[in-house]
């Protein structure tokens, strides 16, 4: 019997924004004009436990929105996302850390929010710090970090704590060349462990072809193609030309 880690069924998600108003319009009691953008339009797919799924699509197609919906940051307007009782962590630039707290404090807080106990996090703390390679900055506020340092710590935290599902949004090649190689091999280790399920959003098509079991191509909020990496990426490259 097939065991699934993620089931996404007919997910719709939209953003609402308001146009700017002049002071004169405010005093006249005019209402701001609301604009709605449909980011996801009926996305459905299932991912087996232990598989790695790559997501591709042009900028603005809904890739990161889908990842955040799976990670529980966004709520769907319609449809459902079932994580089948799995723990999930999202690795993305600008998501998950409190910039006023130190790196060490953020590791503890993020781990607790993911569902780990303090004892479990502290048992992994030294390994997380060592892999991140940010030195004394681990005890400095995150707002003092470069984007590379932020990403190194986020990647180390997400991969050392070993959640059942790991969501990765365009951060496999951050940092210096040495760390990029190290993070790539760490990902390969995770993939070989069939207890982990991974979803990667990336524009690096070669990485996706090397790592993924399946590719999901999203275009303007809808599933355009889902299947074998070689076939889907070939069609996607042709389309993007």
């Amino acid at each position: 019997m097939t065991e699934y880690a993620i089931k996404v069924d007919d997910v719709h998600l939209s953003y609402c924004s308001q146009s700017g108003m002049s002071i004169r319009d405010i005093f006249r009691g005019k209402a701001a004009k609301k604009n709605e953008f449909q980011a996801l339009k009926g996305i459905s797919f299932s991912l087996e436990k232990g598989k790695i799924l790559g997501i591709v699509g042009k900028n603005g197609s809904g890739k990161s929105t889908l990842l955040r919906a799976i990670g529980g940051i966004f709520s769907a307007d319609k449809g459902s996302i079932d994580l089948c009782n799995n723990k999930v962590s999202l690795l993305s630039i600008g998501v998950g850390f409190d910039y006023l707290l130190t790196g060490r404090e953020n590791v503890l807080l993020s781990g607790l929010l993911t569902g780990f106990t303090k004892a479990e996090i502290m048992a992994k703390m030294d390994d997380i710090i060592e892999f991140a390679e940010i030195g004394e900055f681990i005890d400095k506020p995150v707002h003092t970090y470069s984007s590379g340092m932020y990403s190194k710590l986020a990647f180390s935290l997400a991969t050392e704590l070993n959640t059942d599902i790991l969501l990765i949004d365009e951060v496999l090649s951050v940092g210096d060349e040495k760390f990029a190689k190290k993070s790539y091999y760490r990902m390969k280790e995770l993939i070989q462990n069939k207890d982990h399920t991974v979803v990667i959003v990336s524009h690096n098509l070669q990485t996706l072809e090397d790592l993924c079991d399946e590719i999901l191509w999203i275009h303007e909020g809808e599933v355009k193609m889902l299947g074998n990496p070689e076939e889907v990426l070939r069609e996607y490259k042709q389309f993007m030309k």
Side-chain angles (χ1 to χ4, degrees):
M1 183 177 177
T2 302
E3 184 177 3
Y4 290 100
I6 303 173
K7 296 179 181 178
V8 177
D9 182 30
D10 193 31
V11 167
H12 295 250
L13 196 152
S14 60
Y15 300 114
C16 288
S17 61
Q18 291 185 338
S19 58
M21 293 181 64
S22 67
I23 294 177
R24 180 180 296 176
D25 287 338
I26 293 174
F27 280 113
R28 288 178 176 176
K30 288 187 176 182
K33 184 179 179 180
K34 292 185 178 180
N35 301 304
E36 183 175 274
F37 172 70
Q38 292 285 335
L40 301 177
K41 307 170 186 176
I43 298 289
S44 295
F45 70 92
S46 295
L47 184 61
E48 292 182 32
K49 182 178 180 179
K51 297 293 186 180
I52 179 163
L53 174 71
I55 302 180
V56 296
K58 68 178 184 179
N59 290 334
S61 61
K63 305 184 301 297
S64 294
T65 298
L66 175 59
L67 220 62
R68 284 162 171 72
I70 295 172
I73 294 175
F74 295 158
S75 296
D77 301 322
K78 177 185 174 184
S80 64
I81 298 174
D82 184 1
L83 299 181
C84 306
N85 296 317
N86 291 301
K87 289 181 180 179
V88 61
S89 58
L90 171 63
L91 180 52
S92 178
I93 298 293
V95 175
F97 284 169
D98 185 324
Y99 280 75
L100 297 179
L101 299 179
T102 68
R104 191 185 301 272
E105 290 168 338
N106 269 294
V107 167
L108 182 57
L109 177 61
S110 296
L112 291 172
L113 291 174
T114 303
F116 291 93
T117 66
K118 182 177 180 181
E120 289 173 328
I121 301 165
M122 296 307 296
K124 286 284 188 178
M125 183 68 76
D126 289 344
D127 292 334
I128 293 169
I129 295 171
E130 181 180 358
F131 190 92
E133 298 179 353
I134 63 172
E136 62 183 17
F137 276 91
I138 191 65
D139 291 309
K140 296 184 182 299
V142 168
H143 69 77
T144 65
Y145 289 15
S146 66
S147 60
M149 293 167 60
Y150 181 105
S151 300
K152 285 180 176 182
L153 183 58
F155 185 91
S156 180
L157 170 63
T159 56
E160 284 287 353
L161 284 184
N162 287 329
T163 54
D164 305 304
I165 300 171
L166 179 59
L167 311 175
I168 302 175
D169 192 1
E170 282 290 2
V171 291
L172 283 180
S173 58
V174 296
D176 52 48
E177 183 178 355
K178 176 186 174 185
F179 191 84
K181 288 182 179 179
K182 186 167 75 167
S183 62
Y184 178 84
Y185 288 116
R186 167 61 63 83
M187 281 304 307
K188 295 203 74 171
E189 289 176 5
L190 287 175
I191 293 164
Q192 290 169 356
N193 184 338
K194 293 304 180 181
D195 288 333
H196 295 119
T197 304
V198 184
V199 182
I200 301 176
V201 168
S202 180
H203 289 289
N204 189 327
L205 303 187
Q206 188 59 57
T207 296
L208 294 181
E209 188 168 350
D210 291 343
L211 295 178
C212 297
D213 298 301
E214 291 182 291
I215 298 292
L216 173 65
W217 174 9
I218 298 179
H219 182 65
E220 296 182 353
E222 298 178 305
V223 174
K224 191 169 181 68
M225 193 172 180
L226 172 63
N228 176 273
E230 184 179 351
E231 295 175 3
V232 177
L233 292 176
R234 181 175 61 245
E235 293 294 325
Y236 177 66
K237 290 175 186 177
Q238 185 65 33
F239 177 84
M240 292 301 289
K241 287 181 180 179

